[in-house]
Amino acid sequence: MSSASEILVDFQDDLAVDDTPSTALDHLKLSPMEDKQWPSDDLASMSKSETDMKHLGQGSHLAWDDPYYDIARHQIVEVAGDDNFGRKVIVFSACRMPPHHQLDHQKLLMYLKHTLDQYVESDYTLIYFHHGLTSENKPSLSWLRDAYREFDRKYKKNIKSLVIVHPTMFVRTLLILFKPLISFKFGRKISYINYLSELDELLKCEQLVIPSRVREYDAKIRQALKPSAQVPKSPPRSPPLPNQQFGVPLSTLKLRSADPEGIPLVMRDTIEFLKEQGLEMEGIFRRSANVTLVKTVQEKYNSGEEVNFGQMEDVHLAAVILKTFLRELPEPLLTYQLYNDIINFQNVEGTSQVGTIRNLLAMLPQENYASLKYLSQFLAEVSARSDVNKMNNANLAVVFGPNLLWGQDAAMTLSAIGPINNFTRTLLDNHQEVFSA
């Protein structure tokens, strides 16, 4: 391995110094030094969801005296809700890594593990934005090797996809050299994406806080393409079908529904099935489902066909469909109006929290309130069987929090996800008092 390491170091150094613009293949080179300046993304280019929590300190979701504050403030690692298949999304941005002398790489590894520990019991997707890795901030090969070994089976088992965005020849060569260390099963989970638009197959790009440098680089390599090789942009969304259930406002679904309480059809179907078949399923809501089946069920609902989960006998499919329905609402169940209040809910004194939640939920439209109450009562039944299904209120809050609320730009960051999950946990802990007449 030592000789291979030497070859790779030479290869990487060659790439690092060659920053001369060339052809459309320019995106295969290691990113140039960008004048050796390492500013954070301009505040103006950040999403509202990023800037709402800036008061916590330099972009960190942690207090200044937290042992991981120095790492978290760079926002190298983020959590971005769920992908299209119900899996948690973890994002790692290389361009946000400062030079070696400003970053403790061992501490970064521990922080990454600390973040993943909250999600590794569930299926998850890891997205790695490679642009911005240079000879100034790249970790050593020995660190990469140790990092792979540090992540034991607990972390590797439930990662369903490792997506490398804007890969270079360095990354591809690195993976070849590390092939003896990487299991065949894990290797099959790795995929390359050359343009941001290709992420649409995996998740909604707007839910990611993509660094401005990555967006600018993506635009640059698109412009460098010949007209015949241009990557097609995502087509505009087609108008909703007459019976569409996904991506439709709750107020519209209420008008169509014959349900006396105004509960959306997808919520009623999935929850009733899960009550019968899923309450004692270990890891309910933590597993992903067959991609083709998820799309098929969505198409059936949207075309007005009946969906019978009892015939399919797939608890995880019904669980993913429920989360997908909530995530695809044009406005979150808890509404944009309550976003700032919920983000700041952690500052409310414990004795006032139930009253505060009741006052906030009183501002919801009737159909939102009814759906949230119905969902919360069901999740209380799930939590009551946590000795079997391993899903207590804290775990359920991690799963459902990002599906109940997001910012108006749809972007999700660790700065927001913590307070949202905290609010959701408190809501579930006190659901009887909150929803009492």
Side-chain angles (χ1 to χ4, degrees), residues 137-155:
N137 69 346
K138 65 177 176 63
S140 66
L141 286 174
S142 59
W143 183 89
L144 292 171
R145 180 196 61 212
D146 293 345
Y148 180 79
R149 290 172 173 168
E150 186 76 27
F151 289 99
D152 55 25
R153 186 174 183 275
K154 178 179 78 169
Y155 299 93

Side-chain angles (χ1 to χ4, degrees), residues 55 160 178 209 246 265 287 315 327 337 354 405 414 416 420:
H55 63 274
K160 299 304 177 185
F178 271 67
V209 178
F246 288 83
L265 176 63
R287 302 278 80 86
V315 168
R327 190 171 60 254
Q337 180 186 0
V354 171
L405 185 66
L414 278 169
I420 291 171

Side-chain angles (χ1 to χ4, degrees), residues 261 263-264 267-268 270-272 274-275 279 285 322 326 333-334 342 357-358 361 364 367-385 389 391-394 396-397 400-401 403-405 420-436:
E261 299 176 49
I263 307 299
M267 289 187 67
R268 181 73 74 179
T270 52
I271 288 176
E272 290 306 311
L274 291 171
K275 281 182 179 180
L279 292 180
F285 297 118
L322 173 59
L326 294 170
L333 191 60
L334 286 169
I342 289 175
I357 293 177
R358 293 186 68 170
L361 300 192
L364 291 175
E367 56 270 17
N368 293 60
Y369 183 90
S371 297
L372 181 64
K373 179 179 179 180
Y374 180 63
L375 175 64
S376 300
Q377 290 173 337
F378 161 61
L379 294 181
E381 293 185 50
V382 175
S383 182
R385 310 280 184 89
N389 60 40
M391 294 299 289
N392 56 27
N393 285 343
L396 290 169
F400 278 92
N403 294 311
L404 295 178
L405 185 66
I420 291 171
N421 291 350
N422 174 61
F423 176 88
T424 306
R425 163 75 183 272
T426 308
L427 171 63
L428 296 177
D429 284 345
N430 300 279
H431 75 280
Q432 288 183 320
E433 292 177 76
V434 169
F435 293 108
S436 60

Side-chain angles (χ1 to χ4, degrees), residues 165-189:
V165 182
H166 299 142
T168 60
M169 290 299 293
F170 165 64
V171 169
R172 296 174 189 268
T173 304
L174 184 69
L175 287 174
I176 292 172
L177 292 175
F178 271 67
K179 193 172 182 179
L181 297 177
I182 299 174
S183 68
F184 174 74
K185 189 173 182 181
F186 185 82
R188 291 176 62 188
K189 300 177 181 181

Side-chain angles (χ1 to χ4, degrees), residues 305-378:
E305 294 182 50
E306 182 180 354
V307 175
N308 189 328
F309 289 105
Q311 291 180 351
M312 289 180 274
E313 297 183 335
D314 189 336
V315 168
H316 298 306
L317 175 62
V320 168
I321 291 294
L322 173 59
K323 292 189 295 179
T324 302
F325 173 80
L326 294 170
R327 190 171 60 254
E328 292 194 2
L329 287 171
E331 183 174 5
L333 191 60
L334 286 169
T335 71
Y336 297 133
Q337 180 186 0
L338 300 188
Y339 182 83
N340 286 334
D341 289 313
I342 289 175
I343 291 294
N344 294 313
F345 177 77
Q346 57 192 348
N347 300 320
V348 177
E349 292 185 10
T351 55
S352 304
Q353 287 185 343
V354 171
T356 300
I357 293 177
R358 293 186 68 170
N359 291 337
L360 289 175
L361 300 192
M363 292 188 276
L364 291 175
Q366 188 277 330
E367 56 270 17
N368 293 60
Y369 183 90
S371 297
L372 181 64
K373 179 179 179 180
Y374 180 63
L375 175 64
S376 300
Q377 290 173 337
F378 161 61

Side-chain angles (χ1 to χ4, degrees), residues 52-73:
D52 277 342
M53 296 299 292
K54 278 292 176 181
H55 63 274
L56 284 174
Q58 301 301 313
S60 173
H61 63 288
L62 302 177
W64 66 269
D65 56 350
D66 188 280
Y68 290 116
Y69 170 80
D70 267 353
I71 303 297
R73 70 188 179 90

Side-chain angles (χ1 to χ4, degrees), residues 58-304:
Q58 301 301 313
S60 173
H61 63 288
L62 302 177
W64 66 269
D65 56 350
D66 188 280
Y68 290 116
Y69 170 80
D70 267 353
I71 303 297
R73 70 188 179 90
H74 295 294
Q75 296 178 296
I76 301 165
V77 181
E78 286 287 3
V79 178
D82 291 3
D83 65 16
N84 293 339
F85 316 118
R87 305 177 298 215
K88 289 295 172 200
V89 177
I90 314 294
V91 179
F92 190 104
S93 300
C95 69
R96 287 181 168 165
M97 293 174 65
H100 299 293
H101 65 279
Q102 294 180 19
L103 182 67
D104 182 336
H105 284 89
Q106 186 60 29
K107 202 169 184 181
L108 171 62
L109 178 58
M110 293 302 101
Y111 174 64
L112 181 57
K113 288 183 68 175
H114 170 75
T115 303
L116 289 176
D117 279 340
Q118 304 170 59
Y119 303 100
V120 293
E121 296 301 324
S122 304
D123 292 349
Y124 68 101
T125 292
L126 181 60
I127 297 177
Y128 168 58
F129 290 118
H130 178 64
H131 176 70
L133 190 73
T134 74
S135 57
E136 286 283 296
N137 69 346
K138 65 177 176 63
S140 66
L141 286 174
S142 59
W143 183 89
L144 292 171
R145 180 196 61 212
D146 293 345
Y148 180 79
R149 290 172 173 168
E150 186 76 27
F151 289 99
D152 55 25
R153 186 174 183 275
K154 178 179 78 169
Y155 299 93
K156 295 170 187 173
K157 182 181 72 169
N158 289 333
I159 182 172
K160 299 304 177 185
S161 181
L162 168 55
V163 181
I164 300 174
V165 182
H166 299 142
T168 60
M169 290 299 293
F170 165 64
V171 169
R172 296 174 189 268
T173 304
L174 184 69
L175 287 174
I176 292 172
L177 292 175
F178 271 67
K179 193 172 182 179
L181 297 177
I182 299 174
S183 68
F184 174 74
K185 189 173 182 181
F186 185 82
R188 291 176 62 188
K189 300 177 181 181
I190 300 172
S191 60
Y192 299 114
I193 283 183
N194 293 314
Y195 305 97
L196 292 177
S197 59
E198 296 175 38
L199 281 171
D200 288 340
E201 289 293 314
L202 182 64
L203 77 171
K204 295 178 181 177
C205 260
E206 59 263 30
Q207 78 187 64
L208 298 177
V209 178
I210 301 174
S212 58
R213 276 168 281 171
V214 173
R215 290 188 181 276
E216 290 164 6
Y217 177 71
D218 190 75
K220 175 185 174 183
I221 60 175
R222 277 175 170 276
Q223 291 172 359
L225 290 174
K226 295 178 180 179
S228 59
Q230 284 291 331
V231 180
K233 294 185 178 180
S234 301
R237 291 190 177 184
S238 55
L241 299 169
N243 295 299
Q244 185 147 339
Q245 298 293 318
F246 288 83
V248 177
L250 288 177
S251 56
T252 302
L253 294 177
K254 181 184 176 183
L255 294 175
R256 295 180 189 166
S257 175
D259 189 286
E261 299 176 49
I263 307 299
L265 176 63
V266 176
M267 289 187 67
R268 181 73 74 179
D269 284 354
T270 52
I271 288 176
E272 290 306 311
F273 170 73
L274 291 171
K275 281 182 179 180
E276 293 178 7
Q277 303 289 334
L279 292 180
E280 296 190 353
M281 173 68 71
E282 183 173 342
I284 181 176
F285 297 118
R286 282 179 163 167
R287 302 278 80 86
S288 51
N290 179 280
V291 175
T292 303
L293 279 179
V294 171
K295 291 181 178 179
T296 298
V297 170
Q298 285 185 280
E299 289 170 359
K300 281 188 174 183
Y301 272 119
N302 287 338
S303 62

